[in-house]
Amino acid sequence: MGEMEEINDKIKESGAKPKRKLGKKGKITVIGVVGIIAILIGAVLYVTFTAPPPEKYWKPDKEFTMPDVNSNHISGSYVLDRMRDDKVHHINDFVEAETTNLSYRLALEVNISKYAADIDGTGELWIQPYLYAERVGNTSYRIKELVFHFSYGDDRNVSYVSMDWRKLGAKNLYFDVTPGKYSGPYGIYDNKLDSDWMNYYRIVGVNKDGKDIKDCGFTFPMRMLFFDGYPNWTNHTITFTATLYYGKYMQGWLGDSWEDVYELSTSVVIYVVPEGGE
């Protein structure tokens, strides 16, 4: 009987099961498989919690520039006299407001371009707001959003026209155009930008990636309509507001977020009154 046969007989007599020894190559293979599984699990969790949402932001091609300040700028408020002469009156005046704190400066200028009145006494006003914000202090707070909003209260004789977004100019800002079916009192809109404008009278420019931008701004043309017929004209008050939101942009494994957010706001008012009124 050979040596190997004697060893096998002893194993059988003891009732023990032979153990297979894992070689060095086998150990490396197992460790490698375990490592790959761990990496895959980590990758799945990372994608699940930090993957960006589907692209939903739009950046206008048209550049933004703030108009030069000149002598026909009026601070705070503007009074427009309505006239019944079936003419287009080219005005080109500005009404402006500005506010500053230790961190940021915010400016709002509204160009009152022209006004037209039909012989029936209704009217139409062409205007163009300009919003601009810039960092003026040494601060770790970043620009989050720049928001335009207008209001004419419960005045049933005032309305406005939908926007031609091709004419919107911007600097360092994106706009949310998430598709969908957004319902409102005037209809259904297929993106968030139109819905915000038609339903809430606002436009929101966003620092999409939380970049450390020093300034931002946007501008666009808009039209206001007046339906009260002559001689039953009434006074109309339209308020335009610019609001800057700024805060700390935090990046983490579970996603990015804004914290410690503050706001800075300013506004101007246009009063539309019957000719000779106050």
Side-chain angles (χ1 to χ4, degrees):
M1 182 180 292
E3 184 177 354
M4 280 301 298
E5 291 176 347
E6 292 180 3
I7 293 173
N8 288 333
D9 287 341
K10 291 181 180 179
I11 292 174
K12 291 178 181 179
E13 290 174 0
S14 66
K17 294 182 180 180
K19 296 181 179 179
R20 297 185 62 184
K21 187 175 180 181
L22 189 63
K24 184 177 180 181
K25 186 175 181 181
K27 289 181 180 179
I28 294 174
T29 301
V30 171
I31 293 172
V33 171
V34 172
I36 292 172
I37 293 173
I39 292 172
L40 290 174
I41 292 174
V44 170
L45 291 175
Y46 182 82
V47 170
T48 300
F49 290 111
T50 67
E55 186 64 30
K56 65 176 185 177
Y57 291 103
W58 164 68
K59 187 174 183 180
D61 294 328
K62 188 177 177 64
E63 294 293 327
F64 164 84
T65 56
M66 200 70 171
D68 294 333
V69 176
N70 52 48
S71 58
N72 69 342
H73 281 59
I74 302 172
S75 296
S77 63
Y78 186 92
V79 178
L80 173 68
D81 289 325
R82 299 181 70 178
M83 290 167 282
R84 183 174 174 267
D85 54 12
D86 202 23
K87 294 180 180 179
V88 176
H89 298 265
H90 295 271
I91 301 172
N92 198 33
D93 281 344
F94 282 83
V95 57
E96 64 178 355
E98 181 179 310
T99 185
T100 306
N101 62 17
L102 295 177
S103 301
Y104 285 95
R105 179 177 79 90
L106 174 64
L108 170 63
E109 295 192 7
V110 179
N111 175 226
I112 303 163
S113 176
K114 56 187 177 180
Y115 171 77
D118 295 329
I119 56 175
D120 66 358
T122 58
E124 191 168 357
L125 177 64
W126 287 261
I127 52 185
Q128 179 138 356
Y130 296 82
L131 292 78
Y132 178 72
E134 65 175 346
R135 187 168 59 206
V136 296
N138 185 14
T139 178
S140 60
Y141 288 87
R142 298 184 180 185
I143 292 172
K144 179 179 183 288
E145 295 174 347
L146 184 59
V147 180
F148 171 80
H149 179 264
F150 74 96
S151 173
Y152 48 83
D154 296 325
D155 193 337
R156 295 180 177 273
N157 291 312
V158 179
S159 187
Y160 59 103
V161 179
S162 59
M163 187 65 60
D164 182 353
W165 299 116
R166 294 170 299 177
K167 297 181 179 180
L168 192 153
K171 180 180 182 179
N172 290 330
L173 293 173
Y174 289 76
F175 299 85
D176 193 337
V177 291
T178 303
K181 295 299 180 183
Y182 300 86
S183 61
Y186 306 108
I188 297 177
Y189 308 100
D190 59 7
N191 68 79
K192 192 173 186 301
L193 186 61
D194 281 330
S195 174
D196 278 352
W197 176 252
M198 296 304 294
N199 291 331
Y200 307 109
Y201 318 139
R202 73 184 179 199
I203 302 175
V204 181
V206 179
N207 180 11
K208 181 171 71 76
D209 299 312
K211 293 181 179 179
D212 187 17
I213 56 177
K214 293 181 174 60
D215 62 354
C216 67
F218 65 88
T219 183
F220 59 95
M222 60 179 293
R223 287 162 57 200
M224 307 295 299
L225 307 175
F226 307 98
F227 298 112
D228 47 337
Y230 183 84
N232 299 311
W233 277 341
T234 57
N235 293 340
H236 307 295
T237 301
I238 311 167
T239 303
F240 304 88
T241 302
T243 304
L244 171 70
Y245 293 91
Y246 60 95
K248 293 186 176 181
Y249 187 68
M250 311 301 292
Q251 295 176 297
W253 283 96
L254 297 180
D256 303 335
S257 63
W258 287 94
E259 297 181 4
D260 201 19
V261 176
Y262 294 87
E263 68 176 72
L264 187 64
S265 186
T266 191
S267 61
V268 301
V269 180
I270 296 178
Y271 299 101
V272 182
V273 303
E275 189 174 19
E278 298 181 356

